Amino acid sequence: RGMVFKFDPEGVVTTLGERSGEDWMTDLGIQDNPVPEEVGWLLGWSFFYVLFAWLVLTLQSVNWPSFSF
């Protein structure tokens, strides 16, 4: 809180001016939730992605079609 940021990456033309840190967080969809709640969400999503990766690796090891991007 109380910090001001300016969006100014190289090669990007924008009309955004300086904005407070709270405004940026609101635009990004991050509310002012308690820290334990935010940590819980982050750990939950991390756990989900690890399980998903294990599932994909398991399916590939039992001769399922490989995924190519």
Side-chain angles (χ1 to χ4, degrees):
R1 295 181 185 223
M3 299 179 80
V4 176
F5 300 94
K6 184 175 181 180
F7 182 78
D8 189 23
E10 289 185 27
V12 176
V13 178
T14 180
T15 58
L16 296 174
E18 293 184 351
R19 299 184 55 125
S20 70
E22 284 186 39
D23 289 342
W24 277 112
M25 298 300 270
T26 301
D27 291 344
L28 293 172
I30 300 172
Q31 312 307 327
D32 192 16
N33 296 335
V35 172
E37 181 181 342
E38 294 291 340
V39 170
W41 278 107
L42 290 172
L43 290 175
W45 278 109
S46 299
F47 183 70
F48 169 77
Y49 284 118
V50 167
L51 286 179
F52 181 74
W54 281 346
L55 176 67
V56 169
L57 290 173
T58 302
L59 292 177
Q60 285 182 346
S61 70
V62 293
N63 295 327
W64 278 62
S66 62
F67 300 103
S68 60
F69 296 102

